[in-house]
Amino acid sequence: MINQLTLKQFKQALEETDCPSQILFAEAVSPEHWHRIREGTKYAEIWEQLEAKAEELLAMPPAPPSFSDFILFGSTGDRIIYQSKRDQLYSGLHTFSLLAMADIRPEWITGLENAIWNICNEFTWVLPAHVGLYHNQYPNQIWDQTKMPRETVDLAAAHIGFTLAEIIHLVGDRMHPWVVERVKAEIHRRIFEVYFHNPVPQNWELKTNNWPAVCASSIGAAAIYLEQDSEKLSGMLWRVINVLRAYLSGFDEQGATPEGPAYWQYGFSHFVFFAELLKERTQGRISLLEDKKIEQISLFPQFCMLGGGKVVNFSDSAEQVKWNTGVIHRLQSYAPALQMPESTTWLMPTSNSWLDNSRLMLWSPDRTESQTEEAWRDSGRVEERIFEGNQWAISKVTDVKGRMIAFAAKGGYNEEPHNHNDLGHFILHVDGRSVLADMGLGVYSRQYFQPEYRYKQVNAGSHGHSVPIVNGCTQGFGRQFYTEMTGHHQTNEEMAVSLDLTNAYACSDLRHLTRQFVWKRTLNETPYLVIRDRVSFSNQPTSFQEVFISSVQPVKTVPGQLELSDVTLFYEESEWSAEIEPVTLDSETEKGKRFYRIILHHQHPISDMEIAFRFVIS
């Protein structure tokens, strides 16, 4: 629907439904809904934690981050210290807002007013890591200048603008009017004037990643709450709609995003929040989620969900994702084939986001955990898809023992959102553990997002992925380094995908490099994977290595075999010498995680080679 919508239709829908007393986010307005949630057992422990957190905040309000904390990103690249202190400051907003909805105790309103006032007193709502984001030189030539860059709207500013606008809409009548007016003034100054009054595009308006979804959706939602003039609102939201069109274009026709499932949830959730709010505002006349492509996008995470709470975590996606069951359940209305994830992966409310927590509590189904497990326990179940546009292939098999066994591989290009140089890389997952694995995201710092530093890191560079090192060359960064999916097929016995990797490397002697994955997954036999690489050089190469990333320590048992727990790697002993390199990594989500680089050195590389490896699951 979003691509067929015209400005005239949009403006007419808003004007025909213009009503000053209109109820928005109706679920949150209903006292009965909050009473049911507050008195039920599902979140009983969470409410206790929220009340304890509220008492702590009332007794000892957190201090805002200092200027020294703010400039750390510019001087050292660190963003964790400032953001952790900021999270503490903002925890009052998210804690007291939930309590105020479910309980009329006056101290919760007092706490909420104080938390909002402190947020309005902040110099900027933009994170230090995003200051000056619109500059072409970002993040350089920002922090050493005499004058600060002009204000922008980043993820954090847009999110807090949406949050504050929604909260005063819901409980503003119980708050001091000065607080309510202050919120409106600050949103107007920090969000609307910066975005709607300045024709210079925001950096994220030019992208197709999670940024336009979070920022544009949040700005649009705040406008719906605060702008009463329907004609003016139509112009404001039309800019938002066009940005969201660009965001959706980043998904292929099968619904995949190269950012992976974690950023799918972050970006697409905000799109869902906005779409449902717009549907209410137009009394159902505009329903952005009723679209075939939206249905495919909604189904994408289902293919990425593996056993034990793991996911297909290519690029900067965490290996484990906690799912907002409220968002999943709401999307089931538009994508009936979407299933609820395993109960062990359900997100629980925290004190870090009113937007996520409110939809989690209000939109989640009332079904029991045991009911949601049934679909995940069906033996002989095969679920797979080849996402042609973004060149991902995912196949999941549940064997007779109830184990989930999965294979995933990717192509694409090496300048994707949250990119890793990982063309031809793959994951092999057995019963809750990704044995052949992706190392995942690194520690988010200024340096990590600068290519000259990023791709020297083992988790982002191709040397830290299960792809070849070609005559000493690793894969290059940039859109000019890409793969072509030259073929694929699916039968009752196998799924096969072929990728041309030639253009992934800036290797002068490389003439041709292809990789074929053949995933044998007949239901009556244990699945196994065969990888066939064919490589051709204009001159005889001096070296050729195959690299495989394992999450378990390899053990050499007999010649030509490496045991990786539930997986055995078979190779030609006479052609390869094996080197095992332990790697310990810190990331945004985990510290000290151990991986192993299996480096197979070809003993006698020649100009034309056909290479095969077999991974058999025990």
Side-chain angles (χ1 to χ4, degrees):
M1 178 179 186
I2 191 170
N3 288 325
Q4 288 75 42
L5 191 64
T6 67
L7 176 57
K8 182 177 181 180
Q9 293 170 331
F10 192 68
K11 178 174 176 289
Q12 185 176 358
L14 288 170
E15 290 178 338
E16 288 177 350
T17 54
D18 186 6
C19 177
S21 60
Q22 185 175 16
I23 295 175
L24 299 170
F25 196 11
E27 298 99 331
V29 174
S30 169
E32 292 78 12
H33 287 169
W34 286 110
H35 179 77
R36 172 180 54 84
I37 294 169
R38 183 67 180 87
E39 298 303 318
T41 59
K42 185 175 183 180
Y43 300 117
E45 185 177 345
I46 301 300
W47 288 113
E48 291 179 7
Q49 293 172 3
L50 287 171
E51 291 197 11
K53 180 68 175 180
E55 297 292 352
E56 175 188 323
L57 292 168
L58 289 172
M60 188 177 296
S66 67
F67 175 70
S68 298
D69 298 326
F70 187 86
I71 63 171
L72 278 176
F73 181 79
S75 57
T76 70
D78 182 275
R79 57 191 287 175
I80 295 175
I81 292 175
Y82 175 87
Q83 289 181 198
S84 62
K85 291 184 178 181
R86 180 184 183 273
D87 289 344
Q88 294 174 22
L89 183 70
Y90 278 59
S91 64
L93 172 68
H94 307 299
T95 298
F96 289 117
S97 58
L98 283 172
L99 291 171
M101 292 303 303
D103 198 331
I104 60 172
R105 288 167 59 176
E107 57 263 42
W108 300 153
I109 292 294
T110 300
L112 181 58
E113 289 173 334
N114 288 333
I116 291 174
W117 196 259
N118 286 335
I119 290 170
C120 289
N121 285 339
E122 278 201 299
F123 176 73
T124 180
W125 290 344
V126 176
L127 296 179
H130 304 148
V131 167
L133 187 65
Y134 59 88
H135 280 295
N136 291 331
Q137 299 86 359
Y138 172 87
N140 300 313
Q141 300 183 28
I142 303 295
W143 294 87
D144 56 352
Q145 303 300 303
T146 304
K147 293 184 178 180
M148 288 189 65
R150 68 170 174 83
E151 188 78 289
T152 186
V153 181
D154 76 333
L155 298 166
H159 182 95
I160 201 62
F162 180 3
T163 301
L164 292 174
E166 188 162 88
I167 288 172
I168 65 169
H169 171 79
L170 295 173
V171 296
D173 59 345
R174 293 161 54 195
M175 298 168 65
H176 197 289
W178 291 2
V179 175
V180 174
E181 290 306 309
R182 179 84 188 276
V183 165
K184 293 177 180 178
E186 294 297 336
I187 293 175
H188 191 273
R189 179 173 71 89
R190 299 171 189 261
I191 307 295
F192 294 168
E193 287 187 9
V194 173
Y195 184 61
F196 293 119
H197 297 187
N198 193 328
V200 177
Q202 295 285 314
N203 169 280
W204 43 265
E205 290 187 274
L206 311 177
K207 298 182 180 297
T208 59
N209 62 2
N210 66 89
W211 274 73
V214 175
C215 294
S217 297
S218 297
I219 293 170
I224 289 174
Y225 278 123
L226 299 184
E227 182 52 61
Q228 301 302 315
D229 186 319
S230 294
E231 187 171 22
K232 186 176 180 180
L233 179 62
S234 67
M236 297 167 76
L237 295 187
W238 191 245
R239 182 170 176 177
V240 166
I241 290 292
N242 283 304
V243 174
L244 294 176
R245 284 172 172 162
Y247 163 65
L248 295 174
S249 73
F251 294 85
D252 65 19
E253 289 305 310
Q254 293 79 36
T257 168
E259 286 193 295
Y263 279 102
W264 172 94
Q265 176 160 256
Y266 181 45
F268 197 59
S269 290
H270 282 77
F271 175 76
V272 173
F273 300 163
F274 169 73
E276 291 297 85
L277 193 63
L278 180 62
K279 183 178 179 179
E280 280 189 303
R281 173 60 181 80
T282 60
Q283 297 176 17
R285 287 170 172 78
I286 299 177
S287 181
L288 300 181
L289 300 180
E290 294 181 14
D291 184 272
K292 186 64 178 176
K293 186 171 183 178
I294 296 296
E295 182 178 2
Q296 296 303 311
I297 293 170
S298 301
L299 292 171
F300 172 66
Q302 183 165 305
F303 292 97
C304 296
M305 295 175 190
L306 307 178
K310 304 292 195 303
V311 297
V312 175
N313 66 317
F314 296 136
S315 305
D316 273 345
S317 180
E319 187 184 30
Q320 291 190 286
V321 175
K322 292 293 186 180
W323 299 101
N324 189 321
T325 52
V327 173
I328 299 292
H329 185 53
R330 180 54 57 99
L331 287 173
Q332 288 178 323
S333 302
Y334 303 94
L338 180 62
Q339 297 169 357
M340 195 61 64
E342 295 177 275
S343 60
T344 56
T345 67
W346 292 358
L347 180 70
M348 295 303 288
T350 61
S351 58
N352 63 4
S353 174
W354 155 264
L355 299 179
D356 291 320
N357 291 334
S358 57
R359 275 72 180 179
L360 173 62
M361 289 180 163
L362 292 164
W363 289 357
S364 289
D366 292 328
R367 72 183 74 174
T368 64
E369 294 182 7
S370 60
Q371 289 175 306
T372 68
E373 298 294 331
E374 295 174 1
W376 296 95
R377 298 183 184 276
D378 294 339
S379 63
R381 182 167 173 260
V382 177
E383 188 172 23
E384 64 184 19
R385 179 163 293 181
I386 295 173
F387 299 91
E388 296 182 24
N390 282 308
Q391 298 184 24
W392 283 31
I394 302 174
S395 176
K396 302 188 294 185
V397 180
T398 305
D399 69 8
V400 293
K401 296 179 181 179
R403 300 186 306 172
M404 176 180 285
I405 301 172
F407 158 72
K410 78 176 295 292
Y413 63 97
N414 277 343
E415 199 178 1
E416 296 168 342
H418 283 274
N419 181 72
H420 288 189
N421 290 347
D422 60 356
L423 305 180
H425 177 52
F426 70 98
I427 292 170
L428 200 55
H429 178 94
V430 183
D431 197 25
R433 177 162 57 185
S434 294
V435 180
L436 279 297
D438 192 293
M439 295 187 190
L441 68 170
V443 176
Y444 282 12
S445 65
R446 185 184 66 189
Q447 294 85 351
Y448 185 68
F449 289 94
Q450 295 177 283
E452 62 272 20
Y453 174 89
R454 181 184 182 94
Y455 298 108
K456 294 177 182 177
Q457 306 306 300
V458 68
N459 61 302
S462 70
H463 58 296
H465 294 82
S466 296
V467 299
I469 298 176
V470 180
N471 203 17
C473 297
T474 54
Q475 294 183 9
F477 167 71
R479 187 173 278 271
Q480 69 272 29
F481 298 100
Y482 63 92
T483 62
E484 294 182 33
M485 185 177 285
T486 55
H488 61 81
H489 68 260
Q490 294 163 275
T491 68
N492 291 334
E493 291 78 32
E494 69 180 30
M495 179 174 77
V497 176
S498 298
L499 297 172
D500 187 333
L501 298 173
T502 310
N503 292 306
Y505 296 84
C507 180
S508 58
D509 293 332
L510 179 63
R511 287 168 37 186
H512 199 60
L513 172 61
T514 61
R515 167 164 283 190
Q516 183 189 44
F517 298 99
V518 180
W519 171 238
K520 295 284 189 177
R521 41 103 180 98
T522 54
L523 297 181
N524 297 324
E525 298 179 13
T526 302
Y528 66 90
L529 173 68
V530 176
I531 294 179
R532 297 189 180 98
D533 288 348
R534 294 178 173 85
V535 59
S536 175
F537 294 92
S538 57
N539 298 296
Q540 183 170 328
T542 58
S543 67
F544 188 88
Q545 290 94 33
E546 292 277 5
V547 177
F548 300 110
I549 305 301
S550 173
S551 66
V552 300
Q553 185 169 3
V555 177
K556 190 170 184 179
T557 52
V558 298
Q561 292 184 31
L562 287 174
E563 299 293 334
L564 314 173
S565 183
D566 296 313
V567 178
T568 302
L569 164 59
F570 292 86
Y571 61 95
E572 290 292 337
E573 173 76 11
S574 61
E575 294 184 2
W576 304 92
S577 64
E579 175 188 355
I580 308 299
E581 179 188 0
V583 177
T584 303
L585 289 177
D586 292 340
S587 75
E588 282 289 291
T589 57
E590 193 170 357
K591 290 188 178 295
K593 185 158 187 181
R594 179 64 65 95
F595 293 92
Y596 299 87
R597 291 180 72 226
I598 303 170
I599 310 168
L600 298 178
H601 300 267
H602 203 291
Q603 303 280 53
H604 310 289
I606 58 176
S607 298
D608 294 282
M609 295 183 287
E610 292 191 10
I611 301 161
F613 301 95
R614 192 156 54 106
F615 298 84
V616 178
I617 296 164
S618 60

